[in-house]
Amino acid sequence: MKKTHLAAALCALLAAGAAQAQSNVTLYGVLDGGLAYVNNVGGNKNTSTADGLQSGNRWGLKGSEDLGGGLSAVFTLENGFNLMNGTLGQSSREFGRQAFVGLSSKSLGTVTIGRQYDSVVDYVSGLTSAKQFATKLGAHVGDVDNLYNSFRLNNSIKYSSANYAGFTFGGLYSFSNQASTGANGTGFANNRAFSLGAAYANGPIKFGIGYLEVSTPSSAGNTGGAVTGDYSGDFYTTRIGTTSYGVDKQRVLATGGSYNFGPATVGVVYSNTQIKYLSGTGARVSNYELNGTYNLSPTLLLGLAYTYTDASTRSPALANLSPKYHQVNAAVDYLLSRRSDVYLVGIYQKAAGDATAASINGAGGASSTKSQAAVVAGLRHKF
C-alpha cells in the first residue's frame, strides 16, 4: 500500500513538472499582392504587379515555454519574401524581418536578443496612415524616420515592459560587434544604435513616443554592425543628389496620438529626423501627418491622410536647400472575412520649395515633374 502511494506521488510530481514546462509554437504569416499604376516614373507611366503593399509578405514561427512562476522562454523567427518571384526579402536574409530569443515575465516585462524592431516602430508606427491603410507607398518621403520599418536592428538587446493599466515602455541597444580602436574607442561605436519609447492606450485614446539614434551605419564599412543592407536613412542621397557623403549619425524623434469617436478615428503623427554626414554637412526632415479612418460598416473602412514634409539640407555640392513635399493618401478596405481583405489606395505627392521632383516611397523612382500619383489595388490574406 505504501509503495502504491509512493508511486502515485512520484507520477503526480512528474506530471506537474511536465505541465509546468509545457511549450507551444505557432506558425503564422501574411500573403499580400496586387497591381500598381504610377503616372510618372522618370517621365514614363508604369503598370506592374506589386508585392507586399498593405503588409510585407512573411511567414514566421513564434513560441513560448512556461518556466513557472510567471516566467516564460520566448522566441520569434520571421521570414520576409517577395510573393511575385519567391525570393527572400530584407537583403536575402533567411529571417530578415525578426529573429530573437528571450525571457518574459508577466509582471516585469520581456528581455530579448537578436534582430528586432526599434522603439520608433514599436510605439509610434502603428499610428501612421501607411501602417493603418495607405500601404508602403503612403509612407513618409524616403521613410527616413523609419516609421514604415524599412530597416531593422541587428545584434540588439531589447526590453519591453509589461502592460501597466494601458502604459507600456521599452528600450533597445544594438551593438556594433566591433572592437574598440583608437584613443576614444571609436570601433565600439562604429555602426551601433539605441532606442527608447513609450505608449499609452486606454479606451478611445492612444499615444506613443519613440527615439532612435544610429551611429555610422553600414556606409562606414562595418557590415556586421547594427544596420546593414536594408538601411535607408540617407535623405540627401536618395532624394536630393546622387553623391553619398556617408552618414555619421541619424537621430529620429517621433510621436503621435489618436482618438476614437465611435466608427471614426482621428490621429496625428510628427517625426523629426536629423542626419549628420561624415563630411560635417547634414539634413533635417520633419513630417507632419493628419489621418483619419471611418467604418461605414463592420466590413468597410475608409481612410484619408495628409502629410507635409519640411526638409533642409547642407552639402558641399549644393549648399543649403529646402525641399518640401505635400502628400495625400486615400483608401478603401473591404473585409472578405476575418483573415482576408481587398483594398484600393490612391497616393498623390506634390514637390515644392527646392525639391525638383516628386518621389512616392516604393513607386519605382522619381517623377520627371514636381508631381506624382499612384493607384494600387490588392488582396491580403493572413494565416
Side-chain angles (χ1 to χ4, degrees):
M1 198 69 173
K2 289 182 180 180
K3 289 181 179 180
T4 303
H5 289 161
L6 180 60
L10 287 172
C11 288
L13 285 172
L14 289 172
Q20 191 179 61
Q22 281 183 354
S23 61
N24 66 80
V25 177
T26 301
L27 171 67
Y28 66 94
V30 178
L31 300 173
D32 186 340
L35 296 174
Y37 168 78
V38 184
N39 74 328
N40 188 327
V41 179
N44 300 305
K45 298 177 181 178
N46 186 33
T47 302
S48 64
T49 57
D51 168 75
L53 290 167
Q54 198 71 276
S55 300
N57 286 298
R58 72 199 73 173
W59 70 269
L61 297 168
K62 60 182 176 182
S64 64
E65 180 186 15
D66 186 357
L67 302 176
L71 185 67
S72 298
V74 296
F75 77 89
T76 293
L77 295 172
E78 190 172 282
N79 168 277
F81 62 92
N82 187 312
L83 183 66
M84 297 304 158
N85 56 30
T87 57
L88 293 172
Q90 291 77 51
S91 301
S92 298
R93 291 176 168 90
E94 182 70 25
F95 295 106
R97 293 186 61 88
Q98 298 183 85
F100 62 80
V101 66
L103 293 173
S104 179
S105 165
K106 292 180 179 179
S107 59
L108 299 177
T110 303
V111 176
T112 50
I113 185 167
R115 177 172 167 85
Q116 304 177 82
Y117 293 117
D118 64 74
S119 299
V120 170
V121 174
D122 286 343
Y123 298 104
V124 186
S125 69
L127 298 166
T128 66
S129 62
K131 281 294 186 178
Q132 294 181 70
F133 58 81
T135 76
K136 61 184 178 184
L137 280 74
H140 299 158
V141 176
D143 196 30
V144 294
D145 53 17
N146 204 39
L147 281 172
Y148 199 76
N149 55 269
S150 293
F151 63 88
R152 283 83 169 167
L153 296 177
N154 303 320
N155 317 325
S156 58
I157 294 180
K158 182 177 184 177
Y159 170 75
S160 302
S161 77
N163 190 315
Y164 302 106
F167 178 69
T168 56
F169 59 93
L172 172 149
Y173 186 88
S174 184
F175 289 83
S176 70
N177 276 10
Q178 193 172 72
S180 298
T181 57
N184 297 321
T186 54
F188 186 78
N190 185 21
N191 197 358
R192 68 175 178 183
F194 68 89
S195 190
L196 297 168
Y200 178 75
N202 190 359
I205 299 173
K206 289 184 179 179
F207 172 80
I209 187 169
Y211 176 79
L212 167 66
E213 181 172 313
V214 182
S215 299
T216 51
S218 54
S219 58
N222 178 14
T223 58
V227 182
T228 183
D230 51 358
Y231 177 69
S232 62
D234 190 345
F235 180 80
Y236 177 82
T237 303
T238 58
R239 289 295 178 269
I240 304 299
T242 56
T243 302
S244 175
Y245 296 103
V247 175
D248 180 30
K249 285 192 185 298
Q250 179 187 5
R251 297 182 176 96
V252 179
L253 175 65
T255 186
S258 67
Y259 192 86
N260 177 258
F261 305 86
T265 300
V266 175
V268 293
V269 177
Y270 167 76
S271 71
N272 179 272
T273 303
Q274 303 279 344
I275 301 171
K276 178 185 175 185
Y277 295 100
L278 295 170
S279 61
T281 61
R284 174 196 56 79
V285 186
S286 294
N287 291 293
Y288 306 84
E289 178 182 327
L290 175 64
N291 62 59
T293 60
Y294 188 85
N295 284 97
L296 282 177
S297 73
T299 59
L300 184 60
L301 174 75
L302 304 180
L304 184 65
Y306 166 74
T307 299
Y308 172 62
T309 300
D310 178 18
S312 64
T313 66
R314 294 178 292 109
S315 75
L318 299 175
N320 298 327
L321 294 175
S322 297
K324 320 289 182 187
Y325 301 88
H326 304 270
Q327 183 166 306
V328 176
N329 305 332
V332 179
D333 195 324
Y334 181 72
L335 291 174
L336 300 171
S337 69
R338 186 170 60 90
R339 296 180 179 273
S340 301
D341 64 316
V342 290
Y343 54 86
L344 178 66
V345 180
I347 313 291
Y348 175 78
Q349 187 182 108
K350 178 73 173 179
D354 292 324
T356 58
S359 186
I360 293 173
N361 188 66
S367 170
S368 62
T369 66
K370 284 199 170 189
S371 65
Q372 189 175 53
V375 178
V376 298
L379 166 67
R380 174 175 56 178
H381 174 71
K382 303 175 183 178
F383 65 89

